[in-house]
Amino acid sequence: MGRPIDARGWIFEVESATPSTWLRLAKLTSWTFNPAENEETADTTTFDSNGYFEQDIMQRGATIEVSGLYAATSGTPDPAQDYIDTTWAYRFGEESRGRMRYRHTSQTEWTVWECTVSPGEQGGETNAKTSWGAKFVRCGAPTTEAVVVTP
């Protein structure tokens, strides 16, 4: 029987405008994976179902929502947050798709999504830090790629 893994051990990255250049999402405090988001079903209940509901899944979807703290160093925004907020979020149509990937530190493969992104709300109160977040909606089937360790 395995041991539970830490939620803080997950790594999330977005691909920048330069292909195969990945930017790590920093200062995250929570994340949520919903493997049933955008799922569509077809009701297959008939008289032969004897009063019991039946269905077939016709479409699968998924989302990942991340939230954390807005990050900047000496007035320069965090590269991943800035890319999402000022570049990716302003693309439309076919251009609105990009790639993100995620894995736990114990895993040897990334799960890679082609997806769209929606920036989350930002805000804070008197004695708080500014919040930041984003929601990724998967487009198509996920893929995987090996973790490459660079010296």
Side-chain angles (χ1 to χ4, degrees):
M1 194 175 338
R3 298 272 310 142
I5 60 174
D6 296 335
R8 72 178 66 162
W10 288 89
I11 302 167
F12 300 88
E13 296 183 341
V14 295
E15 188 175 36
S16 74
T18 305
S20 299
T21 300
W22 295 92
L23 306 172
R24 184 173 178 170
L25 289 171
K27 304 296 183 200
L28 297 180
T29 57
S30 68
W31 62 274
T32 305
F33 170 59
N34 183 344
E37 187 80 17
N38 299 316
E39 183 176 273
E40 294 290 336
T41 61
D43 185 342
T44 58
T45 309
T46 66
F47 293 153
D48 297 323
S49 300
N50 295 318
Y52 290 95
F53 177 78
E54 294 184 33
Q55 72 175 18
D56 288 341
I57 295 183
M58 303 303 290
Q59 171 181 297
R60 298 255 186 216
T63 60
I64 290 178
E65 194 161 354
V66 297
S67 59
L69 301 175
Y70 180 79
T73 304
S74 300
T76 303
D78 173 79
Q81 291 179 359
D82 188 54
Y83 176 72
I84 288 170
D85 291 345
T86 63
T87 303
W88 193 355
Y90 288 96
R91 294 179 176 167
F92 298 96
E94 195 175 309
E95 294 291 316
S96 67
R97 292 188 182 194
R99 293 194 317 156
M100 66 89 66
R101 66 184 185 180
Y102 65 95
R103 70 177 179 92
H104 191 267
T105 55
S106 64
Q107 297 174 330
T108 59
E109 284 189 328
W110 292 99
T111 298
V112 182
W113 287 8
E114 181 178 10
C115 55
T116 59
V117 70
S118 296
E121 294 180 357
Q122 294 180 7
E125 296 181 14
T126 304
N127 293 319
K129 298 292 185 179
T130 302
S131 62
W132 182 89
K135 182 177 183 177
F136 300 93
V137 178
R138 191 180 72 206
C139 300
T143 59
T144 59
E145 60 185 43
V147 172
V148 177
V149 179
T150 53

